[in-house]
Amino acid sequence: MSTDRDVNRIVRSWLEEGVTALPDRVLDTVLDQLPATPQRRAWMPARRLSDMNAFTKLALAAAAVVALAVAGLYLLPRQGGVGTSPTPSPVPSPTPTPIALPASGPLQPGTYTIDDRKFTQATHFIFTVPAGWTNTDPFIVKEGGQPGEVGLTTWVVSHVYSDSCQHTTDTLVNVGTSPDKLVSTLVALKNRVVSQPTDVTIGGFPAKRLELSLPAGLDMSTCTFGAIKNWPDTGPDESGGLCCGGPGFVDVVYVININGKPLAVVARHLPGSSPQDLAELQSIVDSIQIDP
């Protein structure tokens, strides 16, 4: 049987080692020394500490030290080492609140939304614009009217002219509400050079990307109204539509499948468009968010 000095030494050794569990030998030693006392009823008078013998006092004191040490270990921080603070959680950056796209005029850098489904097939069509851009309806443009012009527009397309140069009622093709039919009709266009469609994602939705350029040597003066025209307004409404690019212009068309309905996003640039402006145009495309 351990003496009072042995108990003190064991407890002190256990506390200095910094362990997190009480060794069985210490627990057994303390329990062996404690007298078995029946549970007292509430009305029984509590025994005075002075009535206990010296060994019982020592055993209870040792048990109390052990209990306090264990409690202290459980209250220590669980993260970080000695002398370090827990790593704070990163605070998410606030998402800019989009504002309605003005009808026309210069645009401040920021995030804009178009909330008219007849233009976007969506409740909210959101995008971010750098400095130097202007809304000219239907395009937002930079370097408008200049050889380096770049621009972006959206279009809900129901019909396409099969011949971009001879855009008359006789050449209208009804694409309905099928994204695939719109893509295949664009691929088959006459008097345009059309790239093979590639799969992309725009605003979280699947899309096809096509580049529409002009054939070498095309004389646009031979075209209807002396202009190239891709499609009329929805309906078809031939009084409007997407047309009239300058010499050598390129339309990058993204046909987005929004829950089975097609939306065309057109990023247009001219031969004189600078790499910086082309990068800004692409950044606007990449920033698109769609809430259908």
Side-chain angles (χ1 to χ4, degrees), residues 164-167 220-229 243-245:
S164 296
C165 182
Q166 306 303 321
H167 40 90
M220 285 198 293
S221 67
T222 64
C223 300
T224 306
F225 305 122
I228 289 290
K229 190 172 184 180
C243 73
C244 310

Side-chain angles (χ1 to χ4, degrees), residues 158-181:
S158 64
H159 294 72
V160 173
Y161 295 108
S162 61
D163 188 334
S164 296
C165 182
Q166 306 303 321
H167 40 90
T168 64
T169 302
D170 293 339
T171 64
L172 276 177
V173 176
N174 187 343
V175 299
T177 57
S178 169
D180 291 339
K181 181 65 179 294

Side-chain angles (χ1 to χ4, degrees), residues 81-85:
V82 175
T84 63
S85 301

